[in-house]
Every structure is written in C-alpha cells, then in structure tokens.
Amino acid sequence: MTNLSQLSKDYQRIEQAIRFLETNARRQPDLAEVADHVGLSEYYFQRLFTRWAGLSPKRFLQFLTKENAKALLARTSVLTAAYEAGLSGPGRLHDLLVKCEAVTPGEYRTKGAGVDIVYGFHPTPFGECLLALTGRGICFLAFVDGERQVALEQLKLDWANAALQEDPSRTHPVVEQIFTPRLEPSPAYQEPREISLHLRGTNFQIKVWEALLRLPRGAVTSYEALAGQVGSVNFARAVGNAVAHNPVAYIIPCHRVLKKIGKFGNYRYGSVRKQAILGWEMAQGEG
C-alpha cells in the first residue's frame, strides 16, 4: 500500500474522530473515549493519528478550537503584506510553486471546445479525489465521498465541450506531487515543486482564487478581509460565491476562509474535512 493510500484509509477513522469531538466539544472527551468511538484501542488510535497528522491527537485538536481560529484571523495582515511585496504571480502551497493560468474569454464562452482532458481517481490524506488535467495544467480537483459519478458530472459541467478520457497513469504523479507529506524536518531551503493550474472562471472568480493562492501556509482569512484584498470590500457575499465555486480544491485553499467570529464555517466537501485539512496543514508547519 502506498503512503497516500494508507493516509487515505486512515482519514476515514480520523474523520470519525473529528466529527465525534465536534459533536461533544463541551464535554471535552478524553483519548480513551474517542478511541473507543472509532473502535480502536488508545494505543493504536494514538499511533494511527500520529501517522496521519504527524503529531498527537491532543496537539492536533488544539488547532481546531475557536480560540485558535480567532488568533489566526488576527494575523490576516500577512495577506496584505504579500500583496505589498509584489506577490501578484506565483503563490506557494507547502513546498509547491503554483502558477495560475486562466482560459481566454473565447475559451470561457466555448466551455472547453477543442480541449483534451485526462482524469483519474486517487487516494489522498483527506479521502479519494478526482483530478483532471489539460495540456496546460490542473483544471479540476474535487474530493469524492463514495460518489465518483457526482464529481465526474461536475467536471463535465464545468468543461461541457471538452473531450474527456480517464487515464489515472497520467494523473497519479500529479496527485503524488500535491499530497505526499513531508513529515520529517526540512532543510532551510528546498527547491519547490512546480505545478500549473488551468482555470475556467469569470474575471472576478479568478481574482479571488489568485488571492487565496497568496495565503501563506498556516494562515487563514475571513470573507470580509478577502473582499478587501480584491478591491471589493462591500462584496463579501460575492467573494463567498467565488470561494464556493473554486474548481481546484486544496490547491486553491478555500478551506482557509473562516468566519470573522472564529467559526470554521461551511465547506463544499464538508466542515469536518475543512477542519481536518486546516489542522493537517498546521501540523506540517510544525515539522
């Protein structure tokens, strides 16, 4: 079993644990109770959780508190700093260098006519995903909860006139590049792995997605702050709509947008998965 396959299998239990803790947060259940809920011994649950997250359940869950979320939101000035530093092009995600290329207005209108897309289903640390590529980069990434056809229909809707072909041998290396964790301590500098995105969206949506790409690892923002960064301070709702229509989950980190009051808020792929991704990202930052 590959590392990502194991992490994907682990995630099913981790999701159960986070959902249980979310439901019983006021009681603050201990390790023994959570382990019992997911059907494991304390010892094995601790090992499984550490294998998945890279740290203990207790430390991981500290990331998921409302207080921690509020503290992170207080640091949204880092997004402003990124803009002022002239980071209007590539954005970093973990050890990736992400380049964003939008379709032309003509390509947007034709919904992918003349575009060849390959796609595949693959395990990730957050469950199975569907990833799709054009000749210019990643055009779609969605998490799949046992409903492959639903995700595939969304891809077909987004690129209605493109020619689609399933070819996991071509998408697998890209998934490995995106999701393979580096849990061991890293050198002071590592050459980032470069990936390209090929995005189909309105000008406003592209602007919001590019702003999200500039969020540093471990940072979060609010809808209001994000609206301010794209020059539409009074249009937080429109920003929220653009965030909700992000076609490339995880890479464009819409999971990093929280409510101003410190609540994690909704997520297209479930609030539990949003918490899991945020906690996992912060855990990688501790390496």
Side-chain angles (χ1 to χ4, degrees):
M1 182 178 289
T2 68
N3 188 39
L4 286 184
S5 294
Q6 182 61 62
L7 291 174
S8 185
K9 185 178 179 181
D10 291 347
Y11 175 71
Q12 297 171 22
R13 287 274 174 75
I14 302 302
E15 185 180 73
Q16 277 185 273
I18 294 174
R19 196 180 300 278
F20 179 74
L21 287 160
E22 184 181 46
T23 303
N24 298 279
R26 289 188 178 183
R27 292 196 300 104
Q28 289 293 297
D30 59 17
L31 180 66
E33 187 177 352
V34 180
D36 182 67
H37 178 75
V38 299
L40 298 173
S41 67
E42 287 182 60
Y43 171 75
Y44 190 76
F45 177 65
Q46 181 94 2
R47 283 187 60 193
L48 176 143
F49 206 106
T50 303
R51 181 172 65 214
W52 179 81
L55 41 64
S56 70
K58 182 177 181 180
R59 180 70 185 118
F60 179 88
L61 294 170
Q62 288 174 355
F63 295 142
L64 304 184
T65 64
K66 185 175 180 180
E67 289 71 25
N68 186 55
K70 288 169 118 176
L72 288 170
L73 282 172
R75 294 161 44 198
T76 53
S77 58
V78 295
L79 185 57
T80 301
Y83 270 80
E84 291 176 350
L87 300 180
S88 57
R92 287 184 184 274
L93 175 79
H94 300 303
D95 53 353
L96 298 176
L97 189 64
V98 182
K99 292 187 176 180
C100 177
E101 179 182 353
V103 299
T104 65
E107 289 171 328
Y108 181 80
R109 286 193 298 271
T110 59
K111 296 185 177 182
V115 175
D116 293 321
I117 294 176
V118 295
Y119 69 89
F121 294 93
H122 303 278
T124 81
F126 315 108
E128 189 177 45
C129 81
L130 166 61
L131 182 132
L133 305 170
T134 72
R136 286 148 66 182
I138 299 167
C139 65
F140 188 83
L141 197 164
F143 292 110
V144 180
D145 289 309
E147 297 288 345
R148 287 187 170 188
Q149 193 58 37
V150 172
L152 188 55
E153 288 302 323
Q154 185 59 57
L155 171 61
K156 291 178 179 178
L157 183 65
D158 289 356
W159 295 83
N161 297 321
L164 271 63
Q165 178 186 359
E166 186 170 10
D167 189 350
S169 66
R170 291 174 62 183
T171 51
H172 176 262
V174 182
V175 170
E176 290 280 340
Q177 183 180 23
I178 296 165
F179 290 104
T180 298
R182 293 189 176 180
L183 300 180
E184 69 279 359
S186 300
Y189 177 78
Q190 289 183 332
E191 190 67 30
R193 298 169 292 175
E194 185 175 294
I195 62 172
S196 298
L197 305 181
H198 187 197
L199 303 178
R200 182 182 177 278
T202 66
N203 288 340
F204 182 75
Q205 287 174 330
I206 298 291
K207 197 173 183 181
V208 172
W209 299 338
E210 287 181 331
L212 285 170
L213 281 170
R214 298 186 190 105
L215 271 175
R217 180 175 62 180
V220 298
T221 191
S222 66
Y223 293 101
E224 292 78 8
L226 188 59
Q229 292 303 328
V230 298
S232 304
V233 68
N234 296 319
F235 296 98
R237 181 169 293 183
V239 166
N241 185 58
V243 169
H245 286 84
N246 167 23
V248 185
Y250 184 71
I251 298 176
I252 297 176
C254 55
H255 56 273
R256 295 181 187 167
V257 185
L258 309 183
K259 293 184 177 180
K260 277 200 304 184
I261 57 175
K263 288 189 176 180
F264 287 91
N266 296 326
Y267 183 55
R268 185 175 182 176
Y269 303 104
S271 63
V272 172
R273 183 177 273 111
K274 180 174 185 175
Q275 292 178 65
I277 295 174
L278 282 169
W280 196 80
E281 283 187 340
M282 287 182 252
Q284 307 310 300
E286 293 216 332

